[in-house]
Amino acid sequence: MTTTTSGTSHETPAPWWKEAVFYQIYPRSFADGDGDGVGDLAGIIERVPYIASLGVDAIWLSPVFTSPMHDFGYDVADYCDIDPVFGTLADMDRLIACCHEHGLRITLDWVPNHTSLLHEWFVESRSSRDSPKRDWYVWRDPGPDGGPPNNWRAEFGDMPTWTFDETTGQYYLHVFLPEQPDLNWHHPDVEAAMHDTLRFWLDRGVDGFRADVVHLIGKDPALADLPDGPGKALTTIDEPATHRMLRGIRTVLDSYEHEPMMVGEVCLFRPGQAASYLGDGSPDGEGDELHLAFDFRATYARWEAERFGRTIDAIQRDAVEYDSWPTWALSNHDLPRHRERYGSGDRARAAAVMLLTQRATPYLYAGEELGLPDAVIPPEAVVDPGGRDGCRAPIPWAVDAPHGWGEPTWLPFVDDAGSHAPDGEIGSSMTDLYRRLLQLRRTRPVLRLGDQQQIETDGTVVAWSRTFGGDELRIAVNFGSEPVPIALDGRIVEGSHRNDVAFDGVLQPDEAVIVGS
Ligand code: NOJ
């Protein structure tokens, strides 16, 4: 199994987002500035020096906009204001400035597919069939049997994507919760209003956006039944009109000189489907739709050589085939953390080496650098409709309880939280590893931009090389529980468990090494 990747032009500097490492902050869980047990902007500002000290380049901040929090901010009631639980617009301006002072870019989570049902646009839309904003959302008459207009099933709960509105006698569409009505992007005023929300933040200096389920914004007006029977709309809607809408969004971004970018959450999994949302044909050859699209394949892979060997190879092959720049992530706010999924701190260390040596833009999820597992959430403490509380536990900043937070915290801490604090036993050694890897990625362009080629291996080891100019590094990960001999000559430049020593030719269980000179 050998794959050569190329396609990187070394003649012109790469755009910043190709070379960046992003750090995702889930604001409720990150840091508590005002002592109310819920994370906020003041808490993030206090921790910006820590974030910068890790050696990441940019932040992705999950939503902080005004929201009734049915989906903890992914139900936006005002795109141009900050929810009081997080602070104020002035706090956000301070955060943007503080990031920039520390050499960090900041990207916001933009939720274009749906609003909160409390957004004034929806309040107006549902007020009457004659409302001037009626068509800003997706309203339909009941189906022939008086039930929902089609067979789409919502993402949360066992329910249709439709809720009946008694007052006006029609159903409205919501791919997620009933509290998250879908906008109708086919209405030009919606498109224009949403462009304005981007401009609002770009004018305040943000460096781009993560666009929530952005592949959903265009919908076939027929809203036909899914042909194979009731099913999830989220992973099937792939409407051509969305590409025109994304080009409109890109035009807004490109009108700013500070090169703002957009990474899209595109939950479509056939080969090349997500890459098609990057577009093509723009004069700079970087695509004319999204700059990046998340690749979720690594988050689905079990800790097995066969699975990761295939995943690493497939992501690089697709990058060549679809002429796209990949992203890599192992965790985010929607999934059990990878430390939890893989089941050991050693594996999480090896995973860090794997993640930060890919030819891709990596996304870290805050807390992974502290080796955080998921919290155990007792039934009475569950708050999320999607069962994702465990990975959203508060980050322990101090060894001693309450770990830098006011009490009670909105979710419980992980077990043995103090040891995961930056000064705790596990936290300090994991952050040290992340810092060293991020530093290596900064100082060796080969890790950011170099070509990537799989190295033939046996058994439980997966290995690949990175080459750039005259520089070469070889990376090997042992996914197994036995030591494995592997012929890689050189020094361990960095590794999950040892560094700056000659490689002795044997990879220990759950160990990863970067070998070179
Ligand atoms: C994807 C987000 O990542 C998730 O957290 C959210 O619940 C849904 N989109 C709905 O906005």
Side-chain angles (χ1 to χ4, degrees):
M1 177 165 70
T2 51
T3 302
T4 305
T5 64
S6 56
T8 305
S9 163
H10 305 327
E11 284 147 30
T12 47
W16 68 268
W17 42 268
K18 277 192 177 177
E19 298 200 55
V21 176
F22 283 78
Y23 182 82
Q24 183 196 355
I25 292 180
Y26 192 71
R28 295 180 79 85
S29 308
F30 191 67
D32 180 9
D34 62 5
D36 67 353
V38 183
D40 49 42
L41 294 177
I44 300 171
I45 291 167
E46 273 173 45
R47 303 288 165 185
V48 166
Y50 163 86
I51 300 167
S53 81
L54 294 173
V56 297
D57 305 284
I59 287 172
W60 150 25
L61 184 63
S62 282
V64 288
F65 313 112
T66 316
S67 168
M69 304 288 169
H70 292 286
D71 189 11
F72 294 109
Y74 286 95
D75 48 329
V76 178
D78 185 347
Y79 291 95
C80 301
D81 207 351
I82 301 296
D83 194 90
V85 82
F86 297 124
T88 62
L89 263 181
D91 292 329
M92 190 67 210
D93 288 339
R94 281 201 298 132
L95 176 59
I96 296 168
C98 182
C99 286
H100 290 162
E101 277 158 27
H102 285 81
L104 292 169
R105 288 186 162 94
I106 175 164
T107 60
L108 302 187
D109 210 319
W110 185 58
V111 188
N113 177 65
H114 43 269
T115 67
S116 159
L117 86 174
L118 296 189
H119 196 294
E120 63 179 18
W121 300 340
F122 188 71
V123 173
E124 169 61 44
S125 179
R126 85 186 300 181
S127 66
S128 111
R129 287 197 187 205
D130 302 326
S131 159
K133 289 203 167 53
R134 184 66 171 178
D135 291 338
W136 281 42
Y137 291 82
V138 185
W139 292 95
R140 289 289 184 278
D141 290 331
D145 61 353
N150 70 18
N151 66 357
W152 296 2
R153 304 295 294 173
E155 271 313 292
F156 300 131
D158 182 17
M159 63 173 89
T161 58
W162 298 94
T163 289
F164 188 67
D165 180 59
E166 297 287 344
T167 318
T168 55
Q170 284 190 308
Y171 281 89
Y172 67 87
L173 177 70
H174 53 86
V175 171
F176 292 88
L177 294 171
E179 291 84 1
Q180 293 168 295
D182 281 35
L183 281 164
N184 174 19
W185 269 76
H186 295 262
H187 193 303
D189 292 351
V190 168
E191 195 167 356
M194 290 303 284
H195 287 183
D196 284 346
T197 68
L198 292 173
R199 289 193 194 94
F200 178 86
W201 290 107
L202 291 166
D203 289 343
R204 296 182 106 87
V206 308
D207 299 290
F209 302 91
R210 175 263 189 192
D212 189 74
V213 291
V214 73
H215 65 295
L216 293 182
I217 59 179
K219 291 173 185 97
D220 179 355
L223 298 173
D225 274 346
L226 295 176
D228 299 332
K232 300 282 188 187
L234 174 67
T235 47
T236 46
I237 293 177
D238 185 13
E239 166 65 23
T242 303
H243 298 285
R244 178 193 61 71
M245 294 165 185
L246 285 175
R247 286 194 290 276
I249 290 167
R250 180 65 176 254
T251 303
V252 173
L253 297 173
D254 286 350
S255 70
Y256 286 78
E257 280 181 4
H258 64 290
E259 296 180 78
M261 60 81 70
M262 183 172 280
V263 58
E265 186 190 27
V266 179
C267 306
L268 297 170
F269 303 110
R270 285 204 310 275
Q273 250 186 324
S276 75
Y277 285 76
L278 304 173
D280 55 39
S282 77
D284 64 3
E286 295 294 349
D288 55 3
E289 298 181 28
L290 298 169
H291 296 80
L292 292 172
F294 284 124
D295 194 310
F296 295 107
R297 281 175 284 189
T299 64
Y300 301 142
R302 282 191 304 274
W303 188 253
E304 290 170 5
E306 203 269 327
R307 290 294 300 267
F308 267 105
R310 259 194 291 135
T311 301
I312 292 168
D313 191 45
I315 290 175
Q316 294 304 325
R317 272 177 197 275
D318 286 359
V320 175
E321 181 160 357
Y322 303 109
D323 192 19
S324 58
W325 185 256
T327 58
W328 252 78
L330 296 175
S331 288
N332 64 36
H333 65 294
D334 288 331
L335 297 164
R337 287 180 176 275
H338 64 268
R339 161 68 183 79
E340 185 73 26
R341 302 197 310 270
Y342 303 156
S344 85
D346 284 337
R347 291 178 177 180
R349 295 180 74 85
V353 174
M354 174 174 66
L355 172 63
L356 291 169
T357 55
Q358 297 298 324
R359 178 181 179 273
T361 296
Y363 276 78
L364 311 183
Y365 179 46
E368 71 178 67
E369 80 282 10
L370 298 166
L372 280 187
D374 278 20
V376 178
I377 312 290
E380 66 280 8
V382 167
V383 290
D384 177 47
R388 301 161 293 183
D389 292 327
C391 67
R392 299 175 178 181
I395 306 265
W397 290 107
V399 170
D400 295 328
H403 311 297
W405 287 73
E407 289 181 296
T409 50
W410 77 290
L411 282 173
F413 288 100
V414 301
D415 288 347
D416 196 15
S419 71
H420 291 279
D423 289 334
E425 201 183 329
I426 298 171
S428 59
S429 103
M430 194 67 106
T431 46
D432 185 50
L433 174 64
Y434 271 79
R435 282 198 176 97
R436 286 189 281 109
L437 291 167
L438 287 160
Q439 177 65 14
L440 188 67
R441 202 172 160 104
R442 277 201 172 174
T443 52
R444 302 277 288 256
V446 64
L447 284 180
R448 302 194 303 279
L449 297 171
D451 292 349
Q452 180 160 339
Q453 182 166 4
Q454 210 95 342
I455 298 172
E456 209 80 45
T457 49
D458 296 322
T460 59
V461 171
V462 176
W464 59 98
S465 67
R466 303 292 312 274
T467 48
F468 185 83
D471 201 7
E472 174 172 4
L473 292 172
R474 277 149 288 143
I475 300 101
V477 185
N478 182 1
F479 290 83
S481 52
E482 300 294 331
V484 177
I486 174 165
L488 296 176
D489 289 337
R491 192 169 62 93
I492 302 180
V493 180
E494 276 304 340
S496 56
H497 294 78
R498 41 187 173 145
N499 69 334
D500 207 14
V501 289
F503 182 53
D504 58 6
V506 180
L507 209 49
Q508 296 302 316
D510 296 327
E511 185 185 28
V513 292
I514 305 172
V515 175
S517 53

